[in-house]
Amino acid sequence: MPTNQDKSRNATVVSMIGNLLLAVLKWITGYFGHSYALIADAIESTSDVFASFLVMLGLRYANKPPDKNHPYGHGRIEPLVTFLVVGFLIASALVIAHQSISNIQHPHESPEPYTLIVLAVIIILKELFYRYVKKKSSETGSLTLRADAWHHRSDAITSGAAFVGISIALWMGPGYEQADDWAALVAAVIIVFNSYRIFRPALGELMDEHVYDELVEKIRTVSLQTKGVLGTEKCLIRKNGISFLVDLHVIVDGSLTVRAGHETAHRLKDKLMVTIPTIGDVLVHIEPEEL
């Protein structure tokens, strides 16, 4: 059965290959089809290739086991890589916006009709890529995969904007060639908005923001089903890559010996890590029951 690491790596490879092939298709079609919106879309897709490469390197580093200098592992590289991916998105948006404004100021040829067919295919493929990578992100809990998924959605949006712009330019005829460029400019704004949606949870992870109420409830439920555990108190969670580090305080019989309390803590830790595979480690603190 493939591990979360395998799923993440496979999804990233598929994403990178898909981005590369579609970027080439967009460059060729945009150049020969006289579509500046499609060329702008190609710029965004080219940045996606580099972003996917960064994601793959980040996942590989994040999956390294703990060592002397990194006793908690290397998972925190994930939000840092996500920041780089966001940087690529914003850089792409700025390039697209600059080129679009420049093209709006200078008349150019109307796009070729066949560019619409190519764009329709690209939009469908990009949405399928988004759903595939998003699903793998949900399965593995990887923020970098989530960012990569939104790269695909952003690309689908820019392609959709290009489709609308080219359609207007072809339908309205001479004088409306700039509709192609306005569409690219709108797409750039949407990309910046999506960049924030990716950036915000990554920042929260790096700052140990608590957004895991559902996981806390599940941990408490499993704990109360464990022999020797009478109740739970504090439950603190930090995300580390695709796994979680848990600090849990549990209540036990105050008359237990130190050895018995120790055995209860290990029994609980083992049960939690088997029942909830996304937990990477659990520190159990024993509290005596108040009389």
Side-chain angles (χ1 to χ4, degrees):
M1 184 176 179
T3 64
N4 283 346
Q5 289 84 354
D6 293 332
K7 291 179 181 178
S8 298
R9 182 174 57 251
N10 294 340
T12 304
V13 171
V14 170
S15 178
M16 187 162 58
I17 294 175
N19 282 332
L20 180 61
L21 294 176
L22 289 179
V24 172
L25 177 61
K26 290 176 183 180
W27 278 111
I28 294 174
T29 307
Y31 179 79
F32 289 103
H34 310 299
S35 172
Y36 290 94
L38 196 47
I39 290 176
D41 204 9
I43 293 172
E44 205 268 340
S45 287
T46 302
S47 75
D48 285 352
V49 175
F50 291 103
S52 294
F53 181 69
L54 281 176
V55 169
M56 188 167 63
L57 291 180
L59 289 171
R60 183 176 180 181
Y61 187 82
N63 292 330
K64 291 177 63 177
D67 55 34
K68 183 178 179 180
N69 293 327
H70 305 87
Y72 291 103
H74 302 76
R76 285 298 174 90
I77 192 69
E78 279 229 61
L80 296 179
V81 170
T82 300
F83 293 156
L84 290 176
V85 172
V86 168
F88 270 103
L89 273 173
I90 293 176
S92 298
L94 291 176
V95 170
I96 292 170
H98 178 269
Q99 189 63 44
S100 299
I101 293 172
S102 175
N103 291 338
I104 289 171
Q105 297 172 343
H106 300 88
H108 55 78
E109 294 182 64
S110 183
E112 295 291 340
Y114 66 79
T115 56
L116 290 176
I117 299 175
V118 175
L119 275 170
V121 173
I122 288 172
I123 292 169
I124 293 172
L125 290 176
K126 271 298 182 178
E127 183 62 22
L128 291 175
F129 274 126
Y130 165 77
R131 298 189 180 201
Y132 168 73
V133 180
K134 184 71 164 54
K135 179 182 177 182
K136 296 303 177 183
S137 169
S138 299
E139 291 176 359
T140 62
S142 172
L143 266 180
T144 50
L145 275 186
R146 182 181 177 185
D148 204 31
W150 273 104
H151 250 105
H152 289 297
R153 172 57 66 82
S154 295
D155 211 1
I157 291 171
T158 56
S159 296
F163 187 93
V164 172
I166 293 172
S167 298
I168 292 175
L170 292 174
W171 182 48
M172 300 298 290
Y176 285 86
E177 294 85 357
Q178 279 78 13
D180 180 41
D181 308 309
W182 280 105
L185 190 58
V186 170
V189 174
I190 295 173
I191 290 173
V192 172
F193 174 72
N194 282 335
S195 297
Y196 172 77
R197 294 185 62 181
I198 298 169
F199 173 80
R200 181 62 186 84
L203 179 63
E205 180 177 323
L206 202 62
M207 298 295 292
D208 288 330
E209 181 181 11
H210 178 72
V211 290
Y212 311 114
D213 289 334
E214 186 177 338
L215 180 56
V216 169
E217 287 304 312
K218 190 172 184 179
I219 289 172
R220 294 191 190 281
T221 300
V222 173
S223 299
L224 293 175
Q225 296 171 351
T226 304
K227 180 182 177 182
V229 177
L230 303 179
T232 61
E233 290 187 344
K234 289 190 294 185
C235 182
L236 307 178
I237 298 176
R238 290 183 295 160
K239 194 165 185 293
N240 188 38
I242 59 176
S243 62
F244 297 93
L245 304 178
V246 181
D247 294 326
L248 178 63
H249 290 225
V250 298
I251 302 171
V252 301
D253 186 344
S255 63
L256 289 179
T257 63
V258 173
R259 183 178 298 277
H262 178 76
E263 290 174 351
T264 299
H266 271 279
R267 184 163 54 246
L268 174 57
K269 176 179 178 177
D270 293 341
K271 185 172 183 177
L272 284 171
M273 294 184 69
V274 170
T275 307
I276 311 175
T278 53
I279 293 179
D281 197 13
V282 184
L283 178 62
V284 180
H285 180 78
I286 298 296
E287 298 278 3
E289 181 184 22
E290 292 185 6
L291 299 177

